Amino acid sequence: MAILNVSELEQVEKFRHLQLTLSDRWKTSESFDNSEADILIIPSLSLDQRELRKIEGCEHYEERLLFSLIRLQNPRTRLIYVTSVPLHPSIIDYYLQLLPGIPFSHARSRLVLLSTYDSSLKPLSQKILERPRLLKRIHQALRLDKSFMICYNSSHWEGELSVKLGVPLYAAAPDLQIWGTKSGSRQIFAESKVPHPDGSEKVWNHTDLAEATSDLWERQPTLKRVVVKLNEGISGEGNALLDLRPIENLAPGKGTHAERVAAISDRFSTMRFQAKLETWDNFSGRIPELGAISEAFLEGEIKLSPSVQGRITPTGEVEILSTHDQILGGPDGQIYLGCRFPADERYRLQLQQLGIQVGRKLAEKGTLERFGVDFIAVDKGNQEWDIQAIEINLRKGGTTHPFMTLKLLTNGRYDLSTGLFYSQQGRPKYYIATDNLQKERYQGLLPNDLMDIIAHHRLHFDSGTETGTVFHLMGCLSQFGKLGLTSIGDSPQQAQDIYNKVVKVLDEETRSENHDLSAFSDYSFPVAWDEYRHF
């Protein structure tokens, strides 16, 4: 454990003292009461920046917390949202127009948008701390006795920002983020008696990684494949798959331990990396910086990847928020692409119970606010599933914003007895969501172009029927052809149909023959002078 100097210890003490005030403020983060609150949104991706760059368009992921604007439906809530670069006005207008029963102008007057005007490869929180005048503007915009801060993930940057502003951070303390790493997750699973694959402790070089992998194989002689994970990898992009079958002649009982270690070490360069363009040279160079583990790959013909989301309140209570079946891609189905809500009814209640076990252990460690647990579920037949936990996320994940969007739009409730979500009108709601609707043909579409398409084809969310699509990551569209969306329906099939319609419309609107200006004449219109004032 690192030894902190006096100033660092003082900062930790101030941070924890501030967090004690959350017990009087935290309910306003998700409830619909009329209490006053100033919510500071810092969507900083304070993660390893080299790993983060494996996610295409990651510089726009600060937009993923824009669902928080829906909190402005409480007429006494004010939001201060800070980003690295300014957000397109059309994107802000889009979210504000989702608010039921609140005049647009009233909501807009309670929203303060600030930017560092810095697109460099640094976490947003670091950029803010480097700008004392911006820090002062944020401080002046807040009523400190009514404020709290929400972030994407908590690091020492967010801890320092919290202390300098005098605003409590509603998230796990930075020094507790170890429980969200791959090795920390495995320790929590073991202590909470949650089933998880056999694997190694954290190692810091490829020599020890070969030893640990050989030990794992010797504990499980029938093992065919091993997943090697960077300890702080993101969204599966830090994973690689090692195939042991080509060196089966050295399996336990056939070769010596030394021969196995040498053969495994030689095989590392042949691993199948989940991130595009990843190489063993780069991957191995990251091990001394981030650490790594090896873990048994779970085989199975029918295999799903569910998750459970929970929350630890400032009073120490553990709440289950949702379950999902994750949609995965990449070479071996380990890259997060999207999710379906809720998880399969055959195991969703079991997920909830496992989530409570993990949440209680995290609460014992002192963690706070949101956590997610990812699983692998293998169909054993006879309606039985082998469910193994593989990772804890102590941050806002890909399942956070879709569910919170649904909750805030419908003012509904999650029912623990069924694992379903019911709108205020009593209808069960389902959705399919993604951060990764990406096609080369979508490149060049501006946010205003997307708004035209949404309006013309009536793709927007309808507050009357509580169905439709909510879009996000619109800033990714022009450069990367990438878009996020959540399609909400009254059944799983309706949600899928709504999603499919969006994809079909976008595909039709971006056909090569549609790229000439006349194709838009049926619904385009001259841009009003007022729109130019935004730029």
Side-chain angles (χ1 to χ4, degrees):
M1 182 178 293
I3 298 175
L4 302 179
N5 61 39
V6 174
S7 62
E8 289 172 329
L9 286 170
E10 288 176 351
Q11 179 164 305
V12 169
E13 186 63 28
K14 289 179 181 177
F15 178 87
R16 295 199 180 281
H17 179 73
L18 279 169
Q19 281 203 318
L20 291 176
T21 67
L22 283 169
S23 57
D24 299 324
R25 314 180 193 194
W26 70 274
K27 287 185 179 179
T28 59
S29 70
E30 288 185 13
S31 63
F32 294 84
D33 59 20
N34 283 322
S35 58
E36 290 187 314
D38 287 0
I39 307 176
L40 174 61
I41 311 293
I42 305 293
S44 178
L45 280 74
S46 301
L47 305 163
D48 183 88
Q49 295 297 294
R50 284 176 61 186
E51 288 303 298
L52 190 59
R53 291 294 138 185
K54 293 177 180 179
I55 300 176
E56 202 165 15
C58 64
E59 53 265 50
H60 296 282
Y61 274 52
E62 292 174 5
E63 295 179 24
R64 290 210 302 184
L65 294 194
L66 280 172
F67 72 81
S68 304
L69 269 61
I70 304 173
R71 299 181 194 277
L72 291 168
Q73 64 187 292
N74 177 347
R76 301 179 74 185
T77 291
R78 298 167 67 234
L79 281 185
I80 296 87
Y81 200 106
V82 190
T83 52
S84 292
V85 296
L87 296 167
H88 193 286
S90 292
I91 297 174
I92 300 301
D93 292 352
Y94 171 78
Y95 281 94
L96 294 181
Q97 287 163 357
L98 289 171
L99 301 180
I102 297 291
F104 178 94
S105 59
H106 193 277
R108 186 63 184 84
S109 69
R110 291 180 283 113
L111 172 64
V112 177
L113 297 171
L114 297 171
S115 173
T116 65
Y117 291 86
D118 181 350
S119 61
S120 64
L121 306 184
K122 295 179 184 177
L124 168 63
S125 297
Q126 180 183 356
K127 297 173 187 176
I128 295 171
L129 288 164
E130 292 171 349
R131 291 165 170 79
R133 290 175 183 265
L134 176 59
L135 202 61
K136 185 176 180 180
R137 289 186 66 190
I138 295 171
H139 188 270
Q140 291 173 337
L142 295 166
R143 296 170 293 181
L144 295 183
D145 61 329
K146 297 178 173 64
S147 299
F148 59 91
M149 175 174 148
I150 292 175
C151 61
Y152 173 76
N153 72 299
S154 173
S155 74
H156 68 94
W157 298 117
E158 286 69 42
E160 184 178 348
L161 190 57
S162 169
V163 170
K164 286 204 170 183
L165 289 171
V167 175
L169 174 62
Y170 188 33
D175 60 328
L176 298 176
Q177 293 300 312
I178 183 177
W179 306 119
T181 64
K182 305 299 185 287
S183 59
S185 297
R186 293 184 56 80
Q187 184 175 334
I188 293 292
F189 298 149
E191 292 181 13
S192 57
K193 296 181 170 51
V194 167
H196 57 287
D198 194 2
S200 74
E201 295 184 352
K202 179 172 55 178
V203 298
W204 294 99
N205 58 69
H206 72 273
T207 301
D208 289 346
L209 183 63
E211 282 280 354
T213 305
S214 180
D215 291 343
L216 171 61
W217 197 5
E218 287 162 17
R219 292 195 301 271
Q220 295 196 24
T222 60
L223 201 60
K224 297 177 181 177
R225 291 180 281 184
V226 169
V227 185
V228 176
K229 301 178 179 180
L230 292 176
N231 197 43
E232 298 180 34
I234 305 164
S235 297
E237 301 274 1
N239 292 3
L241 194 63
L242 172 65
D243 194 343
L244 298 175
R245 288 169 292 189
I247 53 173
E248 194 174 8
N249 61 310
L250 296 175
K254 298 181 181 178
T256 67
H257 175 78
E259 288 173 329
R260 267 188 298 281
V261 170
I264 288 170
S265 185
D266 289 341
R267 293 283 306 165
F268 282 148
S269 61
T270 71
M271 289 193 297
R272 192 150 57 182
F273 300 99
Q274 303 305 295
K276 294 178 182 177
L277 308 179
E278 182 63 284
T279 64
W280 171 241
D281 284 344
N282 182 70
F283 191 94
S284 60
R286 308 258 42 212
I287 296 175
E289 300 170 19
L290 303 178
I293 66 165
S294 60
E295 190 172 85
F297 181 81
L298 298 177
E299 307 284 351
E301 289 186 20
I302 301 176
K303 190 165 55 173
L304 301 175
S305 195
S307 66
V308 61
Q309 291 69 42
R311 179 177 64 178
I312 302 165
T313 73
T315 58
E317 296 175 90
V318 178
E319 302 174 348
I320 296 300
L321 301 177
S322 61
T323 65
H324 293 84
D325 277 320
Q326 298 181 100
I327 302 168
L328 303 180
D332 300 288
Q334 296 186 44
I335 303 293
Y336 178 83
L337 298 179
C339 60
R340 291 184 174 87
F341 172 84
D344 195 298
E345 62 182 350
R346 292 173 290 182
Y347 50 65
R348 73 169 77 115
L349 298 186
Q350 186 178 350
L351 293 179
Q352 290 181 169
Q353 180 54 46
L354 294 172
I356 288 172
Q357 290 173 229
V358 169
R360 286 174 177 164
K361 183 55 62 175
L362 289 170
E364 282 181 25
K365 304 289 187 184
T367 61
L368 185 67
E369 223 267 3
R370 195 170 301 272
F371 67 91
V373 187
D374 295 340
F375 298 85
I376 297 293
V378 179
D379 187 0
K380 297 167 60 179
N382 300 320
Q383 300 298 310
E384 291 187 15
W385 291 81
D386 178 20
I387 298 179
Q388 303 273 326
I390 57 171
E391 185 173 328
I392 296 172
N393 289 308
L394 292 182
R395 61 176 183 262
K396 305 284 194 297
T399 57
T400 302
H401 49 281
F403 182 77
M404 289 307 301
T405 297
L406 172 66
K407 181 177 176 65
L408 291 165
L409 281 176
T410 65
N411 195 6
R413 62 181 179 85
Y414 184 75
D415 185 348
L416 272 175
S417 66
T418 62
L420 295 174
F421 182 90
Y422 294 90
S423 72
Q424 205 169 37
Q425 299 178 18
R427 291 193 290 250
K429 309 302 293 186
Y430 304 82
Y431 60 74
I432 179 171
T434 183
D435 289 334
N436 293 277
L437 177 56
Q438 184 174 19
K439 297 186 181 182
E440 186 177 350
R441 64 196 300 170
Y442 299 166
Q443 291 177 0
L445 281 178
L446 303 178
N448 281 342
D449 298 329
L450 179 63
M451 300 305 163
D452 286 345
I453 293 170
I454 291 170
H456 180 67
H457 293 278
R458 301 185 180 277
L459 301 178
H460 54 278
F461 180 80
D462 185 331
S463 59
T465 63
E466 298 178 321
T467 62
T469 297
V470 179
F471 295 84
H472 63 279
L473 286 183
M474 289 177 263
C476 275
L477 196 52
S478 181
Q479 182 178 354
F480 299 99
K482 185 175 182 178
L483 183 65
L485 56 92
T486 303
S487 293
I488 301 169
D490 290 330
S491 68
Q493 187 58 55
Q494 185 184 31
Q496 185 69 60
D497 291 344
I498 292 170
Y499 176 90
N500 291 343
K501 180 182 177 182
V502 170
V503 176
K504 181 180 179 183
V505 165
L506 288 175
D507 285 352
E508 289 175 350
E509 288 287 349
T510 52
R511 286 183 309 190
S512 57
E513 60 264 35
N514 273 0
H515 284 186
D516 96 77
L517 293 176
S518 62
F520 299 99
S521 60
D522 58 336
Y523 66 95
S524 62
F525 48 87
V527 177
W529 174 252
D530 282 352
E531 293 192 33
Y532 286 108
R533 295 190 302 177
H534 292 305
F535 301 99

